[in-house]
Amino acid sequence: MLFYLLSIPNLLIQQLMSSRRKFLNDSIAGTLSLGLLGVNATVVASSETCATQRPTTKGMDKALVISTWNHGLVANDAAWQVIGKGGRAIDAVEQGVKLVEADPKVTSVGYGGLPDRDGKVTLDACIMDEKGNGGAVCFLQHIKHPISVARKVMDETPHVILAGAGALRFALDHGFEKENLLTPGAKAAWEKWKKEAAYKPIINVENHDTIGLLAMDQHGDIAGACTTSGLAYKMHGRVGDSPILGAGLFVDNEVGGATATGMGEAVLKTLGSFLVVELMRQGRTPAEACKEAVMRIIKKQKYKDIQVGYIAINKEGAYGSYCIHPGFNYALLQNGKQGVMVDADYYKG
Ligand code: GLY
């Protein structure tokens, strides 16, 4: 499955990661206008070390939202609109990622996502609440908000995952609209790709990857959501880590939550988000747990040409992250303050 990844030139990856770093550096102390929601968020690019930051007070001060990549800034703001009013984390995470699913400029999530090799946009998503409930959809086409379908699977069926045509039928039966998710821009990119049809997924660059969002509400309850269009130009039918509880996302309200971004196959083979939560249960900080989950990939898999990043929060409201290669960042919003971007710590060999 990963044979094509081995052909990614390291140099190309480094150049592209360097572009991302340049973007982050350019953003220091700048203001990024985020058209969605009309939000203006000051983006402070700061580096993270393995030392986990620990908020000290409870209630509102402890509440936080954390999510992958720059598109997490607007998602966090939308999530905070729920949490700031005393709402539940599960509602916050759904509202947060929906904003990114609807944004045609984000080409790795929802509407506007890059299609598979057959030109079909196929979506994966999952959601987990504070009670240990979970719902997911995978290989879902034509529905702009797979996260809301996943929520309905969780809330209104005895099942956890619905796939493909069954997931679509379920969505239509529950009032979701059938839409064409292939935007003109994504179609043009696919047609250009088809000329060579070479499989060279570039995880840090496909206009970012999965959005995974974790939130702790004012009641101290934790929930998470994860949604993606998956690898651009993947094989038709491919499902990644994002809709799999324990892989792309895991929440245990006694301990914390974790979510993944990057090459789903590597996350699936290590059940990474479950691993992060279990490591936190054993006493690791979120950053330490994320680092160990990345190290499991590094020890056993061909990691040089793939990116995987984890973010995690624990019950104390501490947070952390780790990734394989530089270039992964996450958005953090605490106490209703302005959102910031944080560069994840990464493996240095
Ligand atoms: N992490 C998203 C995917 O591999 O599909």
Side-chain angles (χ1 to χ4, degrees):
M1 187 67 189
L2 291 177
F3 66 96
Y4 53 84
L5 299 172
L6 306 180
S7 62
I8 303 170
N10 267 331
L11 182 60
L12 179 59
I13 286 194
Q14 290 306 323
Q15 282 169 346
L16 291 162
M17 287 172 176
S18 161
S19 303
R20 280 182 53 84
R21 280 197 298 278
K22 179 172 184 315
F23 168 76
L24 291 175
N25 290 337
D26 288 349
S27 300
I28 291 174
T31 298
L32 182 64
S33 289
L34 300 162
L36 295 166
L37 279 186
V39 171
N40 282 328
T42 299
V43 180
V44 181
S46 57
S47 285
E48 178 191 71
T49 67
C50 224
T52 300
Q53 293 116 71
R54 290 178 185 280
T56 51
T57 51
K58 295 195 174 190
M60 185 60 145
D61 288 346
K62 194 170 160 183
L64 83 159
V65 186
I66 179 172
S67 60
T68 54
W69 303 110
N70 292 305
H71 47 223
L73 280 172
V74 286
N76 287 1
D77 270 302
W80 194 267
Q81 289 192 11
V82 177
I83 285 179
K85 293 178 189 140
R88 286 177 69 201
I90 186 66
D91 296 321
V93 299
E94 181 184 359
Q95 291 310 315
V97 301
K98 274 180 81 172
L99 213 66
V100 180
E101 287 181 334
D103 186 347
K105 294 188 296 307
V106 178
T107 58
S108 53
V109 180
Y111 176 58
L114 291 168
D116 66 16
R117 62 160 76 168
D118 295 351
K120 312 284 187 203
V121 179
T122 73
L123 306 177
D124 297 337
C126 76
I127 192 161
M128 283 191 83
D129 73 9
E130 77 281 6
K131 296 177 185 134
N133 297 313
V137 289
C138 62
F139 191 50
L140 174 63
Q141 297 182 56
H142 307 303
I143 302 293
K144 192 180 271 176
H145 291 300
I147 199 66
S148 296
V149 186
R151 174 95 189 253
K152 283 225 177 290
V153 171
M154 178 177 86
D155 287 345
E156 297 184 20
T157 81
H159 307 307
V160 173
I161 306 178
L162 291 180
L168 176 59
R169 194 169 75 197
F170 173 80
L172 297 176
D173 286 349
H174 285 78
F176 289 85
E177 191 188 341
K178 187 169 183 179
E179 296 179 64
N180 173 21
L181 303 181
L182 186 64
T183 58
K187 188 163 185 262
W190 169 63
E191 277 164 354
K192 188 170 167 206
W193 171 83
K194 269 201 301 182
K195 287 183 187 151
E196 286 193 12
Y199 278 104
K200 293 177 182 172
I202 301 162
I203 298 302
N204 271 352
V205 172
E206 284 163 357
N207 287 332
H208 318 308
D209 187 75
T210 315
I211 179 154
L213 189 150
L214 304 166
M216 181 187 285
D217 62 30
Q218 293 183 48
H219 316 288
D221 286 328
I222 298 171
C226 185
T227 176
T228 188
S229 51
L231 295 182
Y233 320 128
K234 62 197 172 185
M235 292 173 72
H236 188 63
R238 181 263 189 189
V239 170
D241 60 312
S242 302
I244 307 299
L245 307 186
L249 172 77
F250 195 71
V251 172
D252 182 331
N253 199 39
E254 288 177 12
V255 178
T259 187
T261 186
M263 181 55 68
E265 280 74 3
V267 177
L268 281 164
K269 285 187 264 187
T270 49
L271 216 51
S273 293
F274 180 75
L275 175 61
V276 171
V277 172
E278 288 310 298
L279 289 164
M280 291 194 294
R281 191 193 304 278
Q282 292 164 23
R284 310 269 183 117
T285 66
E288 288 166 352
C290 291
K291 182 173 183 179
E292 175 59 23
V294 165
M295 292 311 296
R296 299 274 175 104
I297 294 170
I298 286 172
K299 277 178 201 154
K300 294 209 171 137
Q301 299 186 37
K302 293 187 172 73
Y303 68 90
K304 290 204 169 144
D305 297 323
I306 63 168
Q307 175 67 296
V308 170
Y310 292 104
I311 59 173
I313 63 176
N314 70 14
K315 201 63 184 163
E316 295 165 43
Y319 56 89
S321 74
Y322 201 79
C323 60
I324 300 177
H325 300 290
F328 169 50
N329 59 0
Y330 64 92
L332 169 70
L333 199 161
Q334 281 181 297
N335 311 331
K337 291 183 195 145
Q338 209 159 33
V340 295
M341 293 304 303
V342 183
D343 286 338
D345 196 12
Y346 59 91
Y347 180 62
K348 296 171 188 84

